[in-house]
Amino acid sequence: MKLGAHTSISGGLVNAIYQAQSIGADTFQMFCKPNRAWFAPSSLKEEEIKEFKSELKNSGLGPIMVHDSYLINMGSPDEDKRKRSFSSFLHEYKRCEALGLDYLNFHPGSHTHPQKKLRDDEGVRSDALDRIAECMNEIIEQTPDYSCKLVIENAAGQGTNVGNSFSEIKHMIDQINEKERVGVCIDTQHSWASGYDWENNYEKIVNEFDELIGLDFLVGLHLNNSKTDLGSRVDRHECLEMGQLSKQVFSNFMNDSRFDEKIGILETPNPMIYKEEIDWLRNLKK
């Protein structure tokens, strides 16, 4: 597995590359604009693109994943909000392609139904998944020559989030017209929080994903421990050697040949120990 972490773009996009090098990473994840903004404050300049591509090529790092803005919700039933999310996501996608990046990772979204009793209503959730798939198809249609993949990340199930089960991810992918343009990223904390018991059912979970979706769709993992209990449906990451998931769980991932060509990205809460956490993971390899 190629290991890395989410690195900072503070001071310029190119700094994400330098931080990844400083922690001994093979790859990295970054934002391509301020993550709490709908759109970047300015367009990418040709000189900025050229510098980024040159430094990335020289670094030997890759493949590279971008995480989209937390504001985006293409599953919203509100047409205006969904259109704004669509435009923001397309804006990010264009930046990813301009920078020559491989994956644009995104949380599926939320159905936002105000009635708590309908949080898990199959119809309400299905409608939101359909809206997300429709947006993805439209984005793909508008970008026919793009090589950057749209990568669906499983959710923890917090609030009215959708996409927290493999079956819901399959629901979206089944509707995509050009499936080669789509990938999946499994977040270990989100899956644990949504009820996938990595401690006792590791092989069963991986096989379920393969049977429902297919490991060919999997581009990588977000390797995070969890502050919260199994099935909590609360998105709270923890450092690798802390939290609910044991060392054995991460050893299973590191020694599973099915993940050898995937990327593993840390989103743990202390960037100061990313280098140590990457070394810790590598040392689990038998």
Side-chain angles (χ1 to χ4, degrees):
M1 194 185 302
K2 297 179 180 181
L3 298 175
H6 187 103
T7 56
S8 175
I9 61 169
S10 179
L13 296 177
V14 73
N15 287 334
I17 301 171
Y18 303 146
Q19 185 185 350
Q21 290 175 308
S22 74
I23 59 175
D26 307 308
T27 180
F28 63 93
Q29 176 179 278
M30 59 181 275
F31 295 120
C32 67
K33 64 168 185 56
N35 67 305
R36 296 293 181 182
W38 286 103
F39 301 97
S42 60
S43 300
L44 287 168
K45 297 179 175 61
E46 193 60 39
E47 183 177 310
E48 185 180 10
I49 295 172
K50 185 176 179 181
E51 179 189 21
F52 185 91
K53 285 185 170 181
S54 175
E55 291 298 302
L56 183 58
K57 183 178 180 181
N58 291 337
S59 74
L61 298 168
I64 309 304
M65 181 177 283
V66 167
H67 198 301
D68 79 328
S69 168
Y70 297 128
L71 299 174
I72 293 171
N73 178 18
M74 294 188 293
S76 174
D78 184 298
E79 187 175 357
D80 289 339
K81 291 179 180 178
R82 189 168 65 257
K83 284 183 177 179
R84 186 173 180 82
S85 291
F86 177 92
S87 297
S88 180
F89 191 76
L90 181 58
H91 170 77
E92 293 205 25
Y93 195 30
K94 289 178 177 178
R95 290 171 72 87
C96 289
E97 187 72 13
L99 292 166
L101 302 175
D102 303 279
Y103 308 131
L104 175 55
N105 177 86
F106 66 102
H107 296 177
S110 304
H111 63 68
T112 71
H113 200 288
Q115 294 185 37
K116 289 185 178 180
K117 67 180 181 180
L118 294 179
R119 174 187 187 186
D120 293 323
D121 180 82
E122 186 175 339
V124 171
R125 298 182 71 83
S126 179
D127 287 347
L129 296 167
D130 292 346
R131 289 189 289 267
I132 296 163
E134 183 180 354
C135 287
M136 291 174 68
N137 274 325
E138 188 172 344
I139 285 169
I140 289 170
E141 287 174 13
Q142 290 188 26
T143 56
D145 301 320
Y146 279 29
S147 60
C148 182
K149 281 193 175 185
L150 301 179
V151 177
I152 303 167
E153 177 184 349
N154 63 304
Q158 192 161 299
T160 60
N161 287 172
V162 296
N164 46 296
S165 69
F166 297 160
S167 61
E168 289 192 338
I169 293 173
K170 171 181 165 56
H171 182 109
M172 289 180 279
I173 293 176
D174 282 348
Q175 298 181 61
I176 304 303
N177 298 325
E178 296 181 43
K179 291 180 173 52
E180 67 276 7
R181 298 277 302 273
V182 177
V184 177
C185 177
I186 296 176
D187 186 302
T188 55
Q189 193 279 328
H190 295 177
S191 47
W192 171 261
S194 63
Y196 289 92
D197 185 355
W198 292 111
E199 290 291 342
N200 298 298
N201 298 316
Y202 174 86
E203 194 66 28
K204 180 180 178 182
I205 295 169
V206 176
N207 288 338
E208 179 185 345
F209 181 93
D210 194 23
E211 290 167 7
L212 279 176
I213 299 171
L215 285 168
D216 287 345
F217 278 99
L218 187 72
V219 304
L221 306 167
H222 282 161
L223 295 169
N224 302 305
N225 212 320
S226 179
K227 290 180 182 289
T228 61
D229 294 337
L230 175 68
S232 66
R233 295 179 69 163
V234 176
D235 181 354
R236 293 290 184 276
H237 298 187
E238 182 56 281
C239 297
L240 293 185
E241 293 189 80
M242 304 169 66
Q244 301 292 317
L245 298 174
S246 68
K247 179 179 180 180
Q248 184 59 51
V249 170
F250 294 101
S251 180
N252 289 340
F253 285 117
M254 291 304 300
N255 290 287
D256 192 330
S257 61
R258 292 170 291 188
F259 300 135
D260 283 353
E261 300 305 315
K262 314 299 183 184
I263 62 173
I265 300 293
L266 299 174
E267 297 175 321
T268 48
N270 185 1
M272 298 301 294
I273 62 169
Y274 278 166
K275 186 179 190 309
E276 288 80 357
E277 290 191 314
I278 288 173
D279 290 342
W280 183 80
L281 286 168
R282 287 182 177 142
N283 288 332
L284 296 176
K285 187 78 172 174
K286 295 174 183 176

